[in-house]
Amino acid sequence: AQKVTQAQTEISVVEKEDVTLDCVYETRDTTYYLFWYKQPPSGELVFLIRRNSFDEQNEISGRYSWNFQKSTSSFNFTITASQVVDSAVYFCALSEETDSWGKLQFGAGTQVVVTP
Amino acid sequence: EAQVTQNPRYLITVTGKKLTVTCSQNMNHEYMSWYRQDPGLGLRQIYYSMNVEATDKGDVPEGYKVSRKEKRNFPLILESPSPNQTSLYFCASSSGLAGGPNTGELFFGEGSRLTVL
């Protein structure tokens, strides 16, 4: 069963609009890590953020922000004032304590298309 | 520069012709793994290795082999490739230290796009 669900397959926005990517995860572990990776058209995977399960503080980094809510098992990602360079596939991923720490379980990804 | 290097980046082959995708990392990481990426499925782990001579199956190991004779190298072997192994493959490494500052963070190679005809 998929442990990380990204229900949005594709989101299209016009430049300067905000876009929020949803991520819902499933785990029985009390200790786990959540990640977001970006995959631009060139294909490489770029690490964006890691959160551990004990830190529910929201985080902002430039135009990126993340909303972690354990009560709803969600770790959503918002891009503010989107730009064409934000066009990419974004993956949410989970690493569990009971699994090997290096194993990430990925969602299916959300394609973000930003048009000028 | 810290990096994970995969070769080849692109490969077209035919069913049954054995091939190896090499992976090397220069960060002295203990943990290495292979993922495949398919549309609508995200990335799925094929095999992983906690250290030299320690490998184990991930979620989709069928049709693949790996070896870990040296810490820096973790090749992926397709003994008899089939068309359903056409995919984008990523090698990744991690320090693997639970609770450490980089816990769980994977460093990925640039990917190897494999087509099996």
Side-chain angles (χ1 to χ4, degrees):
Chain A
Q2 195 87 358
K3 290 196 173 187
V4 178
T5 301
Q6 295 180 253
Q8 304 148 308
T9 305
E10 181 172 327
I11 301 175
S12 294
V13 297
V14 177
E15 213 170 14
K16 296 195 176 74
E17 288 183 341
D18 298 347
V19 55
T20 295
L21 284 61
D22 298 333
C23 173
V24 175
Y25 63 92
E26 179 185 329
T27 181
R28 293 182 180 177
D29 289 8
T30 54
T31 304
Y32 53 89
Y33 285 80
L34 295 163
F35 300 79
W36 278 95
Y37 280 84
K38 173 183 179 181
Q39 186 177 45
S42 51
E44 75 273 21
L45 287 159
V46 179
F47 167 78
L48 294 178
I49 190 172
R50 175 187 63 241
R51 296 302 263 180
N52 73 55
S53 52
F54 299 106
D55 184 1
E56 285 192 76
Q57 204 168 20
N58 292 333
E59 184 158 337
I60 298 174
S61 176
R63 296 184 297 105
Y64 295 168
S65 62
W66 290 270
N67 182 1
F68 177 26
Q69 293 196 335
K70 286 176 76 170
S71 61
T72 56
S73 297
S74 64
F75 185 43
N76 297 337
F77 172 34
T78 297
I79 304 172
T80 303
S82 60
Q83 301 176 1
V84 172
V85 292
D86 296 325
S87 296
V89 180
Y90 292 85
F91 291 99
C92 180
L94 165 71
S95 177
E96 299 174 286
E97 181 180 32
T98 53
D99 213 334
S100 65
W101 276 119
K103 178 180 180 179
L104 265 59
Q105 301 192 61
F106 286 82
T110 298
Q111 171 86 56
V112 173
V113 179
V114 183
T115 53
Chain B
E1 178 189 355
Q3 59 186 4
V4 178
T5 304
Q6 299 177 223
N7 280 295
R9 295 286 314 283
Y10 301 91
L11 180 62
I12 299 174
T13 190
V14 295
T15 299
K17 185 175 181 182
K18 180 180 178 180
L19 67 92
T20 299
V21 186
T22 63
C23 174
S24 179
Q25 50 96 3
N26 63 1
M27 294 168 279
N28 201 36
H29 283 167
E30 293 177 345
Y31 188 100
M32 297 185 74
S33 59
W34 278 100
Y35 287 81
R36 60 177 287 173
Q37 181 181 354
D38 302 291
L41 297 175
L43 283 81
R44 294 175 293 167
Q45 191 185 60
I46 303 170
Y47 268 94
Y48 66 94
S49 169
M50 299 291 282
N51 213 324
V52 175
E53 302 294 1
T55 64
D56 210 343
K57 297 177 181 178
D59 295 323
V60 287
E62 295 77 21
Y64 304 95
K65 286 175 58 177
V66 293
S67 68
R68 188 91 180 274
K69 292 183 169 41
E70 304 167 284
K71 197 171 187 179
R72 63 182 292 125
N73 296 323
F74 190 45
L76 179 69
I77 303 158
L78 286 73
E79 292 271 2
S80 183
S82 62
N84 65 12
Q85 292 178 297
T86 293
S87 187
L88 177 59
Y89 291 87
F90 286 98
C91 180
S93 73
S94 170
S95 63
L97 295 174
N102 296 319
T103 295
E105 180 182 342
L106 294 183
F107 293 81
F108 284 92
E110 293 181 304
S112 296
R113 187 166 292 281
L114 171 64
T115 301
V116 183
L117 302 176

